[in-house]
Amino acid sequence: MAPSKRKVTRRQAITETAKAAGVACLGGFSLAALIHSASKADARAIRPPGALPEADFLAACVHCGLCVQACPYGTLSLAEWGQEAPLGTPFFTPRETPCYMCKDIPCAKACPTGALDSALPSIKDADMGVAVLVGHETCLNFKGLSCGICVRVCPIRGEAISLEPMEVNGRKVEIPVVHSDKCTGCGTCEKQCVLGHAAIRVLPRDLGLGGPGRNRAGREV
């Protein structure tokens, strides 16, 4: 017996057409959101060593993941939907896994497009970001305690970060001071900070050091 054809009323036809249009519309919005996400970086996204300036990096990166595969420490990830970097681009989260400053910089050498500069002379020349002491009130050294873990674990110890004497509320203390011209933004200090919320954080350099000031007329100064 041949299967009977379902009778569709005019009301049902209009309803189903509207549903189909709604799905298509929703799909369009999702695609637009995807494109928007894939083209805009969050201020917190920390790139691998040797990364070009962000706009150039996004133009050159083909989301191949070869840098992720080349990293021997599992530091790098390709961004997924909702993460702080544009979709499919490599980044790392220092609080979870910092850059271990490989001398041969395998991630940059694996990049086929130059989005990561394979000719970077030394890992010390990398500019992934800059460490910033954001938790002045929570840093144990500011409270007069002897911590300094961020200084002791720094791969460029004595150059990128040091303890400097300072007077806080009438007490002589030693405060971690980041020397931005030496800091590579590897994130080891952030990873090893003993506090629940790290008092020292790695930020993209333009955010960590601040952009140009503006006068009242809105012009850069």
Side-chain angles (χ1 to χ4, degrees):
M1 180 182 294
S4 59
K5 294 183 179 180
R6 182 171 69 95
K7 293 183 178 180
V8 180
T9 65
R10 184 170 180 271
R11 181 187 295 269
Q12 289 173 328
I14 293 174
T15 301
E16 292 182 7
T17 300
K19 286 181 180 179
V23 169
C25 184
L26 181 61
F29 282 128
S30 298
L31 180 59
L34 176 63
I35 294 171
H36 181 71
S37 171
S39 63
K40 185 178 180 181
D42 189 285
R44 297 167 297 171
I46 305 299
R47 298 300 185 191
L52 299 177
E54 186 67 14
D56 297 330
F57 174 81
L58 291 176
C61 178
V62 293
H63 309 177
C64 65
L66 292 177
C67 57
V68 175
Q69 296 174 29
C71 176
Y73 295 101
T75 297
L76 301 176
S77 300
L78 291 182
E80 299 178 356
W81 179 269
Q83 290 185 312
E84 59 258 39
L87 197 65
T89 60
F91 77 108
F92 69 100
T93 305
R95 188 62 166 167
E96 296 176 4
T97 311
C99 172
Y100 284 92
M101 303 272 286
C102 300
K103 290 184 179 180
D104 57 344
I105 324 178
C107 55
K109 286 182 170 55
C111 179
T113 66
L116 304 180
D117 183 7
S118 61
L120 195 67
S122 166
I123 188 61
K124 287 187 177 183
D125 296 317
D127 184 9
M128 296 169 272
V130 64
V132 179
L133 191 66
V134 296
H136 289 75
E137 295 183 359
T138 57
C139 174
L140 297 182
N141 280 67
F142 264 90
K143 294 182 176 182
L145 301 176
S146 181
C147 177
I149 185 68
C150 53
V151 176
R152 296 198 302 274
V153 300
C154 178
I156 317 178
R157 185 177 179 181
E159 296 183 50
I161 185 170
S162 60
L163 289 175
E164 304 293 340
M166 187 179 296
E167 188 171 302
V168 177
N169 297 326
R171 294 179 308 182
K172 291 183 178 180
V173 296
E174 289 190 322
I175 303 303
V177 174
V178 176
H179 307 287
S180 60
D181 60 326
K182 299 293 185 181
C183 178
T184 63
C186 72
T188 304
C189 55
E190 180 178 341
K191 168 66 177 177
Q192 299 300 333
C193 180
V194 299
L195 298 175
H197 294 283
I200 192 166
R201 296 281 308 276
V202 173
L203 301 174
R205 189 166 292 268
D206 58 346
L207 178 64
L209 299 182
R214 290 181 179 274
N215 62 17
R216 292 184 178 179
R219 292 174 296 179
E220 292 186 358
V221 295

